[in-house]
Amino acid sequence: MRIGVIGTGRIGTIHANTLSRHREVGSLILTDADGARAQELAHRLGETAAPGVDEIFKWGVDAVVITTATSAHAELIGRAARSGLPVFCEKPITLDLPGTLQAIAEVETAGTILQMGFQRRFDAGYTGAREAVRSGRLGRLHTVRALTSDQAPPPPEWLPLSGGLYRDTLIHDFDILRWVTGHEIVDVYAAGSDAGPPMFRAAGDVDTAAAVLTLDDGTLATATATRMNGAGYDVRMELAGELDQVVVGLDDRTPIASTEPTGPPAADKPWTGFLERFGPAYEAELHAFIEVVRGERANPCDGREALQALRVAEACEVSRRERRAVRLAELPGGTSAAVF
């Protein structure tokens, strides 16, 4: 199998390394807006660098992995679909609902594959939580608490391109909340704070956000995120039911200290970022993509799954801006049933 990797930044480099080692992948063609970066990675991996995206399609590949800036995702997804090629794409498809719906329509019209990169679906902790919920171990689920806290903020120039904290960061929590529970989010009430560094206000973004979400079975959930968690990178999900409760992301590297006299000590080596925390999950999602391309398994996260997470993020943005509860039914794209 020959795979084209478009984008060789941080995540593109990780994906290229994973694919280059995969027994079912014979070769890679790498390209990037920074040609020297693609050349260097190709040389290091013993793969081929292409001067541009056109060559990826002209030279012939069996599948495409897209890890470019978000602004290029939809165009590349459409081009691959029209070429009949399966695609793995980092989230999101686009930062707006109309563009996302259009890209999904192109894939569905072409009858091709689009797998989205929501890597938490391949994390052992979240998988265990899903099994605990689905098995009935927790009994009736009544409360879910999710959080994503970055240790340090991103560069100021990146913030206007990110789509904001809900679309860039909390979208992972919205996706995994649906995946773990098997239920849709029906309404949200969200708030955000830009009281941190002025670069967030300049970008029209917030550095800290919170949302209260209601699921279609009445379960209540909260989701919080911040760019300013100096203790370390913290990603957790707590699920409480009438019979039991479990937590994802609580281990000896969780950046939290107890104030109780007999509480556990603070982590000696707290997580520093998502690439470190979710390293095995990033590998697993690419292995799954190869299996999907080979027809060995169903698509674990298609474009419509990504659409539903984006709809929740968009509802949160509307809620924060208008200071009101927002029903997901107010937003387009909710007529097709999601696959859990």
Side-chain angles (χ1 to χ4, degrees):
M1 185 182 298
R2 192 183 202 191
I3 296 180
V5 179
I6 306 175
T8 56
R10 284 191 306 171
I11 194 64
T13 296
I14 288 174
H15 287 341
N17 273 277
T18 297
L19 292 168
S20 186
R21 298 192 305 267
H22 199 288
R23 66 181 184 276
E24 300 295 346
V25 177
S27 62
L28 303 178
I29 303 177
L30 312 177
T31 193
D32 192 275
D34 182 342
R37 182 165 66 181
Q39 286 279 0
E40 190 278 331
L41 180 60
H43 177 74
R44 179 151 48 89
L45 296 178
E47 305 290 356
T48 302
V53 172
D54 288 347
E55 283 74 17
I56 293 284
F57 294 95
K58 290 178 181 177
W59 293 356
V61 293
D62 300 300
V64 174
V65 171
I66 300 171
T67 60
T68 62
T70 298
S71 58
H73 287 182
E75 178 187 354
L76 292 170
I77 289 170
R79 187 168 182 179
R82 293 188 296 273
S83 299
L85 293 173
V87 174
F88 176 94
C89 184
E90 280 300 322
K91 66 83 189 168
I93 296 174
T94 69
L95 295 175
D96 64 90
L97 292 173
T100 298
L101 287 164
Q102 182 178 344
I104 291 171
E106 287 208 67
V107 171
E108 292 178 348
T109 298
T112 52
I113 294 166
L114 171 61
Q115 180 182 327
M116 295 302 300
F118 281 98
Q119 85 284 353
R120 294 188 193 183
R121 293 179 176 224
F122 297 88
D123 177 72
Y126 285 108
T127 299
R130 175 182 164 103
E131 292 170 353
V133 171
R134 305 303 180 88
S135 70
R137 168 185 164 186
L138 306 185
R140 182 186 68 86
L141 187 66
H142 53 74
T143 307
V144 183
R145 292 175 286 270
L147 67 88
T148 297
S149 300
D150 291 331
Q151 183 176 31
E157 61 273 14
W158 185 80
L159 286 175
L161 307 176
S162 71
L165 193 57
Y166 295 103
R167 298 186 190 93
D168 178 54
T169 299
L170 276 167
I171 194 170
H172 281 288
D173 296 275
F174 302 148
D175 175 72
I176 206 64
L177 176 60
R178 295 176 60 251
W179 187 75
V180 167
T181 65
H183 289 280
E184 293 291 354
I185 297 162
V186 295
D187 62 50
V188 307
Y189 190 92
S193 170
D194 61 3
M199 65 181 183
F200 291 98
R201 293 186 290 280
D205 197 5
V206 294
D207 60 78
T208 303
V212 177
L213 312 105
T214 305
L215 277 59
D216 59 15
D217 67 341
T219 299
L220 295 178
T222 60
T224 63
T226 185
R227 304 280 196 188
M228 310 294 297
N229 198 56
Y233 181 71
D234 191 5
V235 172
R236 277 176 283 141
M237 173 182 270
E238 300 173 8
L239 300 105
E242 292 182 343
L243 299 180
D244 200 358
Q245 62 179 345
V246 294
V247 59
V248 179
L250 183 61
D251 58 23
D252 60 0
R253 299 192 64 182
T254 304
I256 192 168
S258 174
T259 60
E260 299 295 336
T262 59
D268 291 331
K269 188 181 179 183
W271 298 109
T272 59
F274 62 92
L275 295 178
E276 181 186 34
R277 165 66 177 83
F278 289 109
Y282 279 116
E283 288 198 20
E285 68 179 357
L286 266 294
H287 287 295
F289 178 60
I290 299 301
E291 292 176 344
V292 171
V293 173
R294 288 171 55 84
E296 296 171 353
R297 66 174 294 174
N299 190 341
C301 188
D302 64 17
R304 291 203 172 268
E305 293 285 87
L307 169 65
Q308 298 311 318
L310 180 62
R311 291 178 71 242
V312 180
E314 186 69 22
C316 286
E317 284 288 3
V318 174
S319 177
R320 178 179 72 89
R321 184 171 62 249
E322 300 182 3
R323 294 182 176 271
R324 67 177 178 90
V326 175
R327 291 191 61 80
L328 269 291
E330 298 178 37
L331 280 68
T335 55
S336 296
V339 177
F340 294 99

